[in-house]
Amino acid sequence: MLTSEFRLFRFTLMGLSIVLSAAMSSPAKAFDINAGVTKESGPFDLFKFGFKAYKSGQKEEAVEAYKYAAEKGHTGSRWALANMYADGDGVAQDDFEAFKIYSEIAQQGVEPGSEDTGFFINALLSLANYYKHGIPRSPVRTDLNQARQLYFQVASTFGVAEAQFQLAQMMLSGEGGTRSPQQAKKWLNQARKSGHPGAMSVFGNILFQEGQSARGLALMTAALDRCKPKDCSWMQSLQEQAFSVATEGDRRTAVSLSHKIATGSD
């Protein structure tokens, strides 16, 4: 049930794959004693084996290895296993099982500068998404207040643009708490400076509505150059609506500004 934005954020953690792939170039073997890894092996060895198995398409072996490593407290294995349940990837899709594992990671916490920080952040974002939408046929009900708190935690503590964007959206609509347009603008501005296309589009639309027509239209136009095709439709609608009512002068200025924004020079 995770949205495309969360999947994209989650996959940024997979820079780890470059390191592991370089260290483990041989093909994965079945999960048995001949592979040199057993359920009694250390958690990181199990994680490495699970990663190799997953990359080789042997997802049942990957799940088994991740489960053993997770039982030994390996955070990366818990994270990988939760993702597989969330996506139905190698296992039956089960959002509630994913929710429980993400909750374990969140409750475990993280030390400042820890290599597990990325896993912890992703777990919080995933939980926020689940609380925002709920999980059908499970004890997890929609809890907008909890979702907003989690987005705030990630936005303020870790400066993650996706959390800042989601928090701002909730503040604009008054979901999970008081409606706070000015605070929402602050978070949108921070997220758009990190290149978040959704934040860029919404922030630009707010500026346009407030009378900063050229700059607002420029931001909405620049967002279209950054968004993924499947996520562009609503941003395009905002931009086209603004473009249709803007003056010719504002349109020309916006096009010039959008190029500077797209290159990071504005």
Side-chain angles (χ1 to χ4, degrees), residues 161-266:
E162 176 62 24
Q164 293 168 345
F165 173 64
Q166 295 292 340
L167 175 63
Q169 291 283 71
M170 297 189 80
M171 287 181 164
L172 283 174
S173 62
E175 288 184 303
T178 305
R179 187 173 179 273
S180 307
Q182 291 305 313
Q183 284 296 307
K185 281 179 63 177
K186 183 193 79 169
W187 291 115
L188 286 170
N189 194 33
Q190 289 192 29
R192 72 95 185 167
K193 287 179 180 179
S194 298
H196 192 289
M200 196 174 291
S201 181
V202 174
F203 185 67
N205 185 56
I206 291 174
L207 294 184
F208 187 87
Q209 298 298 328
E210 291 178 345
Q212 299 184 52
S213 302
R215 182 160 182 78
L217 183 56
L219 285 164
M220 286 185 274
T221 302
L224 295 179
D225 293 329
R226 293 173 178 258
C227 62
K228 300 293 182 182
K230 64 180 180 298
D231 300 323
C232 282
S233 59
W234 67 267
M235 299 182 209
Q236 186 170 352
S237 295
L238 283 181
Q239 193 270 354
E240 289 178 348
Q241 182 177 1
F243 194 84
S244 69
V245 298
T247 66
E248 186 60 31
D250 283 340
R251 291 174 184 173
R252 287 196 296 267
T253 303
V255 170
S256 176
L257 278 175
S258 69
H259 293 313
K260 294 181 181 180
I261 293 169
T263 58
S265 57
D266 184 90

Side-chain angles (χ1 to χ4, degrees), residues 84-140:
M84 294 179 80
Y85 277 113
D87 294 337
D89 186 13
V91 292
Q93 200 270 344
D94 190 335
D95 281 309
F96 184 50
E97 187 63 30
F99 174 88
K100 290 188 290 185
I101 300 172
Y102 287 132
S103 296
E104 290 175 0
I105 297 172
Q107 290 166 9
Q108 178 181 316
V110 67
E111 293 293 329
S114 167
E115 61 184 12
D116 290 337
T117 299
F119 303 129
F120 176 71
I121 291 172
N122 178 256
L124 294 181
L125 279 174
S126 299
L127 289 172
N129 188 49
Y130 280 132
Y131 279 121
K132 188 173 182 180
H133 301 284
I135 301 176
R137 299 177 296 280
S138 86
V140 182

